[in-house]
Amino acid sequence: MTTSEVNRDALPCILLVDDDAILRERLAQAIRARGYDVRTAGSADEAMREVDRDSPEMAVVDLKMPGGSGIDVL
């Protein structure tokens, strides 16, 4: 079964957190192209606001970011 045949509602929502905007957006595009719902954040604070709004099932988190680490987000 290919990703296009998968029920998109069954795929988890992924929160992608990285302070490098270019890397974050390129990775988000690649994951979205596979059918996932991807939300992005550029900082630990922004990530926590996203989590409060709607908790994702999965996360990809940069561990070293200015102003708060990825460990804080986890």
Side-chain angles (χ1 to χ4, degrees):
M1 185 179 303
T2 66
T3 304
S4 61
E5 295 170 336
V6 172
N7 178 355
R8 290 178 184 243
D9 292 333
L11 294 174
C13 175
I14 298 172
L15 175 60
L16 178 58
V17 185
D18 198 307
D19 60 316
D20 183 328
I22 293 171
L23 174 66
R24 182 179 66 241
E25 292 310 317
R26 286 194 178 164
L27 186 54
Q29 282 180 340
I31 296 169
R32 283 184 186 116
R34 287 158 178 80
Y36 290 87
D37 174 26
V38 179
R39 290 181 285 132
T40 62
S43 68
D45 288 339
E46 191 178 340
M48 294 312 295
R49 285 191 297 273
E50 282 293 322
V51 168
D52 286 342
R53 187 175 64 84
D54 185 25
S55 183
E57 287 83 19
M58 299 173 71
V60 177
V61 183
D62 183 3
L63 294 180
K64 293 175 123 180
M65 295 183 291
S69 81
I71 297 294
D72 296 332
V73 173
L74 294 175

